[in-house]
Tab-separated table of all heavy atoms in Angstrom:
chain	number	residue	atom	x	y	z
A	73	ALA	N	-44.212	53.258	60.726
A	73	ALA	CA	-43.308	53.741	59.681
A	73	ALA	C	-42.566	55.023	60.167
A	73	ALA	O	-41.376	55.174	59.893
A	73	ALA	CB	-44.078	54.094	58.360
A	74	ALA	N	-43.261	55.866	60.911
A	74	ALA	CA	-42.663	57.103	61.399
A	74	ALA	C	-41.498	56.815	62.314
A	74	ALA	O	-40.511	57.570	62.349
A	74	ALA	CB	-43.751	57.974	62.069
A	75	LEU	N	-41.609	55.816	63.175
A	75	LEU	CA	-40.549	55.491	64.088
A	75	LEU	C	-39.292	55.062	63.277
A	75	LEU	O	-38.149	55.380	63.684
A	75	LEU	CB	-40.964	54.368	65.010
A	75	LEU	CG	-42.030	54.721	66.076
A	75	LEU	CD1	-42.561	53.459	66.753
A	75	LEU	CD2	-41.435	55.694	67.079
A	76	CYS	N	-39.485	54.346	62.200
A	76	CYS	CA	-38.360	53.923	61.351
A	76	CYS	C	-37.708	55.160	60.645
A	76	CYS	O	-36.517	55.332	60.604
A	76	CYS	CB	-38.766	52.937	60.333
A	76	CYS	SG	-39.379	51.376	61.049
A	77	TYR	N	-38.588	56.065	60.134
A	77	TYR	CA	-38.074	57.292	59.482
A	77	TYR	C	-37.315	58.155	60.462
A	77	TYR	O	-36.290	58.719	60.129
A	77	TYR	CB	-39.296	58.090	58.926
A	77	TYR	CG	-39.628	57.815	57.482
A	77	TYR	CD1	-40.489	56.794	57.139
A	77	TYR	CD2	-39.014	58.519	56.436
A	77	TYR	CE1	-40.831	56.505	55.801
A	77	TYR	CE2	-39.347	58.258	55.116
A	77	TYR	CZ	-40.223	57.224	54.822
A	77	TYR	OH	-40.523	56.943	53.520
A	78	ALA	N	-37.813	58.209	61.702
A	78	ALA	CA	-37.208	59.101	62.675
A	78	ALA	C	-35.760	58.639	62.991
A	78	ALA	O	-34.849	59.454	63.136
A	78	ALA	CB	-38.026	59.121	63.979
A	79	GLU	N	-35.573	57.286	63.121
A	79	GLU	CA	-34.189	56.803	63.379
A	79	GLU	C	-33.299	57.117	62.189
A	79	GLU	O	-32.178	57.663	62.411
A	79	GLU	CB	-34.188	55.329	63.637
A	79	GLU	CG	-32.772	54.791	63.715
A	79	GLU	CD	-32.663	53.358	64.253
A	79	GLU	OE1	-33.511	52.952	65.074
A	79	GLU	OE2	-31.745	52.677	63.854
A	80	PHE	N	-33.718	56.889	60.984
A	80	PHE	CA	-32.890	57.078	59.781
A	80	PHE	C	-32.574	58.606	59.685
A	80	PHE	O	-31.434	58.984	59.373
A	80	PHE	CB	-33.590	56.640	58.547
A	80	PHE	CG	-32.969	55.393	57.993
A	80	PHE	CD1	-33.752	54.311	57.644
A	80	PHE	CD2	-31.577	55.328	57.761
A	80	PHE	CE1	-33.108	53.138	57.118
A	80	PHE	CE2	-30.973	54.206	57.219
A	80	PHE	CZ	-31.771	53.108	56.895
A	81	ALA	N	-33.571	59.445	59.825
A	81	ALA	CA	-33.397	60.871	59.609
A	81	ALA	C	-32.436	61.459	60.654
A	81	ALA	O	-31.738	62.422	60.367
A	81	ALA	CB	-34.751	61.622	59.617
A	82	SER	N	-32.431	60.908	61.850
A	82	SER	CA	-31.579	61.472	62.888
A	82	SER	C	-30.116	60.867	62.728
A	82	SER	O	-29.152	61.476	63.200
A	82	SER	CB	-32.077	61.081	64.277
A	82	SER	OG	-32.117	59.725	64.491
A	83	THR	N	-30.007	59.692	62.057
A	83	THR	CA	-28.722	59.109	61.852
A	83	THR	C	-28.060	59.606	60.554
A	83	THR	O	-26.837	59.759	60.518
A	83	THR	CB	-28.838	57.563	61.783
A	83	THR	OG1	-29.610	57.105	62.922
A	83	THR	CG2	-27.529	56.877	61.738
A	84	VAL	N	-28.843	59.806	59.553
A	84	VAL	CA	-28.355	60.263	58.222
A	84	VAL	C	-29.098	61.579	57.880
A	84	VAL	O	-30.006	61.580	57.062
A	84	VAL	CB	-28.561	59.221	57.155
A	84	VAL	CG1	-27.781	59.561	55.901
A	84	VAL	CG2	-28.281	57.833	57.629
Side-chain angles (χ1 to χ4, degrees):
L75 289 170
C76 298
Y77 267 90
E79 173 168 329
F80 251 131
S82 65
T83 308
V84 194

